[in-house]
Amino acid sequence: MPEFRRLLDGYRRFHSEAWKEKRERWARLSEGQSPSLLVIACSDSRVDPAQIFDVDPGEIFVVRNVAALVPPFETSPGQHGVSAALEFAIQFLKVRHVVVLGHAMCGGCRVALDQSLRGAAPGEGGFVAQWIAMLDQAREPIAARLGTEGRAAEQAMEHAAVAVSLANLRSFPCVQEKEASGALKLHGSYFSISDGMLHVLDEATATFIETE
């Protein structure tokens, strides 16, 4: 597989160059991690938080999934992967900031908007449909105002997804407690792929402001 061989070639370059340049840092990291930030990002191959924020290994704890979504707090039986990662980062690593990183041209948000996977069987789109169903309530006013096609509607959905994840984060008791005490701060952000610009959410005005 040429694709996998390219990964191995990349590893060899990393080990011979980047790893050696920061060998002391890697030695310290082998003893444990203490990141101060948790970034919740999309699995999209174009949106790499470490590259966007230009950070070194060990500086950010990252959770990636379709559309950078955080489910609401719940205690029902099941495999709660995102909730487990949040719990680990907040309660055990004691991160001080949580950043939700949405992005332009998000396929998950587009499917949430047009509902093209609604009714699909698991393994054929059903898992994705069930996951992004947590955006259904946010979708309704967007679809009514802007329709379900076009960049204006898609961007509104992408922005709304960041707000939904922040609201769901605040349904976790540990987040409520730490945010109230000032031990934890939540941030919403949005990355524009075409121009490489990052926008930060001003929750007071519900607007995304371009970072200079």
Side-chain angles (χ1 to χ4, degrees):
M1 293 178 60
E3 294 85 358
F4 184 61
R5 285 203 297 270
R6 285 186 61 191
L7 289 183
L8 296 181
D9 290 341
Y11 157 72
R12 294 184 184 100
R13 289 193 301 273
F14 157 74
H15 194 263
S16 64
E17 299 170 12
W19 183 83
K20 284 187 176 180
E21 290 175 4
K22 298 180 178 180
R23 188 167 183 170
E24 291 183 2
R25 182 176 185 86
W26 285 105
R28 292 195 302 272
L29 289 174
S30 70
E31 299 172 0
Q33 61 172 325
S34 56
S36 61
L37 295 101
L38 162 64
V39 179
I40 301 163
C42 185
S43 300
D44 194 296
S45 61
R46 301 164 293 181
V47 185
D48 179 0
Q51 188 172 38
I52 291 169
F53 296 117
D54 190 23
V55 293
D56 282 328
E59 289 191 297
I60 59 175
F61 189 83
V62 180
V63 178
R64 299 183 71 172
N65 62 57
V66 174
L69 293 177
V70 176
F73 177 78
E74 60 179 358
T75 58
S76 60
Q79 306 298 321
H80 301 292
V82 174
S83 299
L86 290 174
E87 181 180 70
F88 183 73
I90 293 170
Q91 298 289 66
F92 296 93
L93 295 178
K94 301 188 184 306
V95 298
R96 298 188 295 277
H97 298 267
V98 180
V99 181
V100 177
L101 176 62
H103 71 93
M105 313 307 293
C106 178
C109 288
R110 185 172 61 251
V111 170
L113 182 64
D114 65 27
Q115 296 190 329
S116 56
L117 293 179
R118 182 62 60 91
E124 297 179 0
F127 289 126
V128 175
Q130 183 176 7
W131 176 251
I132 61 175
M134 70 179 84
L135 294 177
D136 283 355
Q137 186 173 352
R139 171 191 179 275
E140 293 178 7
I142 294 171
R145 180 168 55 93
L146 299 171
T148 60
E149 296 180 352
R151 274 306 297 153
E154 290 174 1
Q155 186 178 70
M157 190 76 257
E158 292 157 359
H159 286 176
V162 174
V164 167
S165 285
L166 288 171
N168 287 346
L169 271 167
R170 292 186 170 108
S171 71
F172 285 74
C174 63
V175 173
Q176 295 172 11
E177 177 185 348
K178 290 178 180 290
E179 188 177 29
S181 70
L184 184 69
K185 295 185 181 301
L186 306 186
H187 311 270
S189 60
Y190 178 84
F191 179 68
S192 177
I193 294 173
S194 62
D195 60 14
M197 296 303 298
L198 184 75
H199 302 74
V200 175
L201 176 62
D202 179 349
E203 291 195 81
T205 60
T207 57
F208 284 82
I209 302 171
E210 187 175 293
T211 302
E212 297 180 357

